Amino acid sequence: VMAGGRASCTAEVAKPSALDVPEGTGLFPSAAFTSDGKAVVVYYARSNDGAPTGDLRLATQDGAMWRKVDLDGAGPMGADVGQFPSVAAAADGSLHVSYQDAGAGRLYYMHVAGGMPGMREVVDDGTRMDGIHTVGADSTIAVAGMDVRIVYQDQRAVDLMIAQKGMGGMWTKQNLKMGAAGNGYAARIVADGA
């Protein structure tokens, strides 16, 4: 630091705090159209009343109005779920949603039928040979018939992952692209209908 034209020492400047997700409603939105033409949006709603909490929400177009439903995270538990949501509409009108539990670093899936949320399923709990990884960033989901697939990032390894729901309801996962270059940012998957 210069003082009076001369260099002088000063106390160490504090390191900046890590950037965090801002408070707000409508963060990380993902939209789709149902088979009857209604628009749906899943999004993350974040608040910070002493400790960061987040909820996964669904908004469904109903004429000129929007009907909103809490899918996960609402309640006194203080959960922080709903980051990086993705929604896909099936031919039967149901919705398939993937999202991250930011507190636990897991990837979840939920089936929504008739506007009612089903039970959340753990797609990837982050368990790896070298320890626990945070997973689920930039999730994107695609549905073709009974085939449900989710592409997402393993944030610790910076790998692109894919998970597929089997006929028995079990999820299998594998690396699509891995290596030092950094993979899995802003991934997208599309069902081609074939």
Side-chain angles (χ1 to χ4, degrees):
V1 176
M2 296 298 285
R6 302 183 69 197
S8 65
C9 294
T10 184
E12 181 179 330
V13 176
K15 292 181 183 179
S17 62
L19 295 176
D20 197 6
V21 176
E23 290 186 48
T25 298
L27 304 173
F28 307 111
S30 176
F33 286 96
T34 61
S35 56
D36 60 357
K38 290 183 180 177
V40 295
V41 180
V42 293
Y43 59 92
Y44 175 64
R46 175 80 182 259
S47 64
N48 190 353
D49 296 324
T53 60
D55 300 327
L56 176 68
R57 296 189 178 154
L58 166 68
T60 305
Q61 182 184 22
D62 188 7
M65 304 293 289
W66 287 85
R67 187 171 37 93
K68 298 175 192 103
V69 176
D70 286 334
L71 296 179
D72 198 354
M77 303 291 272
D80 191 4
V81 298
Q83 286 190 22
F84 306 109
S86 180
V87 62
D92 66 1
S94 68
L95 303 175
H96 299 264
V97 181
S98 63
Y99 57 103
Q100 183 189 57
D101 178 336
R106 295 178 171 182
L107 176 65
Y108 290 142
Y109 162 85
M110 183 179 289
H111 183 247
V112 180
M116 298 300 297
M119 296 295 294
R120 75 175 172 198
E121 300 175 24
V122 176
V123 175
D124 189 342
D125 66 1
T127 302
R128 304 289 190 269
M129 295 295 285
D130 63 344
I132 301 295
H133 290 206
T134 298
V135 296
D138 290 327
S139 80
T140 182
I141 191 167
V143 178
M146 298 297 292
D147 188 19
V148 180
R149 297 179 192 209
I150 303 170
V151 173
Y152 59 99
Q153 185 186 55
D154 175 328
Q155 291 159 257
R156 180 171 163 198
V158 197
D159 290 341
L160 179 63
M161 304 289 297
I162 187 166
Q164 182 173 5
K165 189 169 185 174
M167 294 304 282
M170 298 297 293
W171 288 93
T172 58
K173 58 187 179 295
Q174 67 183 43
N175 286 56
L176 280 179
K177 186 150 178 72
M178 52 194 292
N183 303 290
Y185 294 100
R188 294 294 170 251
I189 186 172
V190 177
D192 68 3

